[in-house]
Amino acid sequence: MKKIILPLLVTSALSACGENTPLQTVDWYKTHETDRKAMIAKCEANPGELSASANCINAKTAENHLSVDKRSYPDLTPINPLQGGE
């Protein structure tokens, strides 16, 4: 049991040291355009290591939200067919 747990602890501790950038939220990236664009550029430059990181996902999600907001889609109310489609 100890032979399995020790390597897991060591690898998780070392992997946590990989990224020095503080974690930012989607809303933060929406309001900080230069940081958002810089993070997206950094993620696209190294997709193998960074594409699954939380900051890359949050920056790209913020960019997508802002793009959709520019399109000004109407706010649609879902229809529930079980209630007669009110």
Side-chain angles (χ1 to χ4, degrees), residues 4-47:
I4 295 173
I5 293 175
L6 184 61
L8 290 176
L9 290 175
V10 171
T11 55
S12 64
L14 291 176
S15 66
C17 298
E19 190 173 333
N20 297 339
T21 309
L23 180 61
Q24 303 297 346
T25 64
V26 173
D27 290 331
W28 187 89
Y29 277 117
K30 283 182 179 181
T31 59
H32 295 85
E33 180 180 2
T34 55
D35 293 322
R36 181 181 68 246
K37 291 183 185 278
M39 180 56 69
I40 290 172
K42 180 179 173 183
C43 298
E44 289 176 351
N46 192 357

Side-chain angles (χ1 to χ4, degrees), residues 22 27 29 36 70-73:
D27 290 331
Y29 277 117
R36 181 181 68 246
K70 287 180 186 176
R71 295 182 187 134
S72 66
Y73 288 119

